[in-house]
Amino acid sequence: MAAEESGHAICGCKGIRSCLICDKVNVKQMIDDKDHLARDFTYEPSLGLAVRWKEGGVQQSFPFPGVLLWKDFMSEEEERDFVNRMDQDAWKESQSGRKKQDFGPKVNFKKQRVRLGTFSGLPAISRKLVLRLSQEPLLQGFQPVEQCNLDYSPKRGSAIDPHIDDSWLWGERLVTINLLSDTVITMSLEDGQAELDQGEVRVRVRVGLPRRALLVLYGEARHRWKHAIHRQDIHHRRVCSTYRELSPEFLPGGEQEALGSQLLDIALSFRGVPV
């Protein structure tokens, strides 16, 4: 039973991570969110630019490559069916007030080891979605080997800290479907600095994610910029599914081609249950 239902302070937070259930203070996130030196930009998909309006209406912008937004990727009916079928599986408590369902192999990223474990593939509900992805030229050849479903709630103070996804196992394109409510993904540089016309300042780029939209991060946005979902940007229940492909090391010609082929065969059987 979830902590918010039972009344007990039970959550999945570890280390410095926190949520509203365990009622701790994540000092790092508070500093990041309130840093008065930060310059917040907004991503404009039609321009491919990060844009900021200064006093006097003067526009400040810079190119922000590596982001694709596919609005209305799902219909309302598809969204309802997808989430209902998700909710038929158990949700596990996760870090920072989230709940999760994992469909993927067991991975030790520090030791760079992959085990099949009880991995049985992606869920059946994703079969049609994966086929639809091939309609986008940027996603041609995209073969996901892992799916992670996350459930965010404002009551739990759900969030995810700034991070860059692993690139030893996971490949170039990260694909996320945003469901049930709008939110914002906040991008920040790994080193926290960017060269703009006023010198070096701390820069964040807010990328709006509409309900039922699909987001792809690749290139600089995938490998150079950290991404996060901040607590204040979760206003209603939000569910997302993130799909990851294999890196070249696990593809034909790579050192671990055999293991990669085995992982893909399992993943694309679409007979998966959460591990």
Side-chain angles (χ1 to χ4, degrees):
M1 181 178 292
E4 60 195 7
E5 296 172 349
S6 67
H8 297 292
I10 300 172
C11 66
C13 297
K14 299 177 183 178
I16 65 169
R17 294 178 177 86
S18 67
C19 65
L20 295 182
I21 295 172
C22 58
D23 199 29
K24 295 178 182 177
V25 178
N26 187 332
V27 177
K28 180 179 182 300
Q29 180 165 317
M30 289 179 64
I31 292 174
D32 285 348
D33 291 346
K34 297 180 180 180
D35 186 355
H36 66 281
L37 297 177
R39 299 289 173 84
D40 286 327
F41 289 74
T42 299
Y43 178 65
E44 295 291 344
S46 62
L47 302 174
L49 298 175
V51 178
R52 179 173 182 263
W53 293 93
K54 300 189 294 186
E55 291 185 11
V58 178
Q59 187 184 56
Q60 184 181 20
S61 65
F62 61 92
F64 196 71
V67 176
L68 170 70
L69 270 177
W70 183 344
K71 294 183 179 180
D72 295 318
F73 176 78
M74 276 190 182
S75 68
E76 292 184 18
E77 183 179 354
E78 287 174 321
E79 175 192 49
R80 184 167 52 250
D81 180 61
F82 199 77
V83 175
N84 285 342
R85 293 177 68 180
M86 268 191 202
D87 285 340
Q88 291 176 11
D89 289 322
W91 289 94
K92 295 182 179 180
E93 301 292 342
S94 186
Q95 301 275 18
S96 304
R98 291 167 288 143
K99 294 183 179 182
K100 67 178 179 179
Q101 295 172 345
D102 285 326
F103 298 85
K106 296 289 184 181
V107 184
N108 186 320
F109 291 106
K110 289 185 178 180
K111 296 182 179 180
Q112 294 193 340
R113 293 178 182 173
V114 182
R115 293 188 298 105
L116 298 180
T118 57
F119 178 39
S120 54
L122 273 59
I125 57 174
S126 291
R127 184 188 294 272
K128 291 182 179 180
L129 293 181
V130 171
L131 289 175
R132 189 182 303 173
L133 296 179
S134 62
Q135 298 175 16
E136 165 56 46
L138 178 64
L139 293 174
Q140 287 186 1
F142 182 78
Q143 293 185 297
V145 74
E146 191 239 23
Q147 176 178 339
C148 180
N149 299 333
L150 292 172
D151 185 320
Y152 289 72
S153 165
K155 291 183 180 179
R156 299 194 303 268
S158 303
I160 188 166
D161 292 339
H163 67 285
I164 294 177
D165 281 36
D166 169 82
S167 57
W168 160 70
L169 177 60
W170 309 134
E172 173 65 15
R173 297 161 293 189
L174 301 177
V175 178
T176 298
I177 302 172
N178 184 60
L179 302 172
L180 295 186
S181 63
D182 299 344
T183 191
V184 173
I185 183 168
T186 300
M187 314 291 292
S188 58
L189 279 181
E190 170 69 10
D191 58 6
Q193 301 291 324
E195 295 267 344
L196 296 178
D197 60 0
Q198 293 183 335
E200 290 190 347
V201 295
R202 180 169 171 74
V203 173
R204 295 179 300 205
V205 179
R206 290 171 60 81
V207 180
L209 296 184
R211 179 176 179 175
R212 297 190 302 278
L214 179 138
L215 170 74
V216 183
L217 298 181
Y218 62 99
E220 287 195 20
R222 156 76 170 98
H223 299 288
R224 185 183 177 208
W225 291 76
K226 290 183 177 181
H227 57 276
I229 301 286
H230 293 307
R231 182 176 294 171
Q232 64 266 28
D233 292 319
I234 300 296
H235 304 290
H236 307 281
R237 186 189 182 196
R238 177 210 180 217
V239 169
C240 68
S241 290
T242 295
Y243 299 85
R244 298 179 175 91
E245 63 183 343
L246 290 170
S247 71
E249 182 171 338
F250 295 84
L251 296 176
E255 292 184 7
Q256 303 201 56
E257 173 183 353
L259 176 56
S261 178
Q262 190 176 6
L263 288 169
L264 278 171
D265 285 345
I266 296 173
L268 301 180
S269 70
F270 294 102
R271 296 195 295 263
V273 293
V275 295

